[in-house]
């Protein structure tokens, strides 16, 4: 082992301003997250322009805080990492400009990171023994992919959503139920008091053998159910709708991920992204994994949702692979997994 590598990472792709100091891709020295949820929830979702302004106001303070909490000075940092996409263009640009200025000022490498790769890498921090290859479900507000992680930084997409992302479906149904934003955690909580078998919502498994997802039929079915109950003047049980909807999402995600792990000879089925924080998904997957001989892994909730530590982990492996960026690094709002940043 050579000298340890300390990376300062910055994440501003959506509504969390975050900075972290990560050692050798696996150890968090600090992970400071400032969420804008309270600001955006008034609007029922993220307002891009407001997000950019808030990142701009906060980012320097958050970086300072991350260095202080990590017990390091800027001069001790070996490289600066930043999310370059996917995400909101204005929001990404704030992180990018900050990271470029810092890297330039200390004359250290700049490493652009794919946000989805960051979500997967959160598992390297949580599970020190985890190494590729393995199969991973990345489910967030913008993405739902089943990915085979072939090696560090090398991915094969096995399946993805054909319409809404899983988190997006949670957010839309939560809004229809009047629960607020972001919907995932609110449905998760509400569902705990409901009956998951009260309403028989559809499960879209698609063609035989497919690892793709589709949540639009389920979403329409839940919205139709709410409308028809209102028209008939019947009382709606919000916990039952939340639990039944969540169960339909969880069943499809779990079944497809475990099947992908079995069919690709992966010992592990790994979860990542905001939806990986869902308590029912974690429970159902663990249970299904036990039945089929697959070890299910997921990060702590704080590492599931957006944070800079996961970017610092992904950046370390990028650096080892020689993927260093230069100051022309730009925002890539539509970057997909496996594309170079
Ligand atoms: O990864 P993330 O923080 O941001 C994106 O990259 O999109 O994911 C946010 C998404 C939101 O849609 C949110 O509702 C969902 O993750 N989410 C959850 C839970 N916590 C966050 N969905 C279901 N259950 C949860 N506990
Ligand atoms: Zn994310």
């Amino acid at each position: 082992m050579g000298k340890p590598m300390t990376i300062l990472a910055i994440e501003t792709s959506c509504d969390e301003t975050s900075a972290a100091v990560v050692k050798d891709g696996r150890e968090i020295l600090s992970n400071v997250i400032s969420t804008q949820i309270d600001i955006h929830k008034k609007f029922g979702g993220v307002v891009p322009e407001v997000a950019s302004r808030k990142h701009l106001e906060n980012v320097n303070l958050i970086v300072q805080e991350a260095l202080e909490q990590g017990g390091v000075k800027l001069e001790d940092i070996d490289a600066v990492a930043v999310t370059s996409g996917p995400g909101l263009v204005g929001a990404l640009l704030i992180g990018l400009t900050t990271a470029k200025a810092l890297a330039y000022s200390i004359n250290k490498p700049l490493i652009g990171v794919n946000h989805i790769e960051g979500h997967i890498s959160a598992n390297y921090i949580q599970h020190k023994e985890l190494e590729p290859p393995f199969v991973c479900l990345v489910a967030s507000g913008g993405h739902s992919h089943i990915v085979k992680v072939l090696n560090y930084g090398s991915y094969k997409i096995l399946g993805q959503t054909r319409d809404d992302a899983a988190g997006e479906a949670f957010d839309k149904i939560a809004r229809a139920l009047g629960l607020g934003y972001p919907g995932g955690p609110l449905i998760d909580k509400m569902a705990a008091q409901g009956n998951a078998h009260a309403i028989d919502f559809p499960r879209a498994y698609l063609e035989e053998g497919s690892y793709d997802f589709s949540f639009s039929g389920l979403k329409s079915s839940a919205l139709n159910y709410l409308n028809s109950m209102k028209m008939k003047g019947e009382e709606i049980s919000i916990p039952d709708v939340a639990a039944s909807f969540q169960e339909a999402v969880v069943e499809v995600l779990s079944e497809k991920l475990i099947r992908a792990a079995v069919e690709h000879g992966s010992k592990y089925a790994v979860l990542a992204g905001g939806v990986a924080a869902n308590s029912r998904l974690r429970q159902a997957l663990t249970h299904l994994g036990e039945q089929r001989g697959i070890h299910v892994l997921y990060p702590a909730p704080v590492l599931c949702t957006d944070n800079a530590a996961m970017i610092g982990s992904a950046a370390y492996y990028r650096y080892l692979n020689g993927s260093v960026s230069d100051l022309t690094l730009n925002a890539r709002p539509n970057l997909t997994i496996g594309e170079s940043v």
Side-chain angles (χ1 to χ4, degrees), residues 11 13-14 16 86 115-116 119 138-143 273-274 304-307 310:
E11 153 66 42
S13 68
C14 192
E16 263 90 34
H115 180 81
I116 311 175
H119 274 303
V138 198
S140 69
H143 308 274
C304 289
T305 45
D306 291 348
N307 68 90
M310 66 185 197

Side-chain angles (χ1 to χ4, degrees), residues 14 20 26 31 59 71 79 93 121 127 132 135 137 153 160 185 212 230 238 251-252 259 265 267 279 328 334 338 341:
C14 192
R26 298 263 179 174
N31 188 22
V59 71
L93 284 170
S121 305
H127 309 286
V135 164
L137 165 69
Q160 58 193 303
D212 279 355
K230 274 182 207 148
I238 294 180
E251 241 180 68
V252 176
R259 185 165 57 78
K267 178 167 138 197
S279 56
T328 63
N334 300 314
V341 295

Side-chain angles (χ1 to χ4, degrees), residues 10 12 14 90 132 153 207 216 239 244 264 274 292:
I10 300 175
T12 62
C14 192
E207 309 82 49
S216 65
S244 302
H264 285 81
R292 306 217 194 143

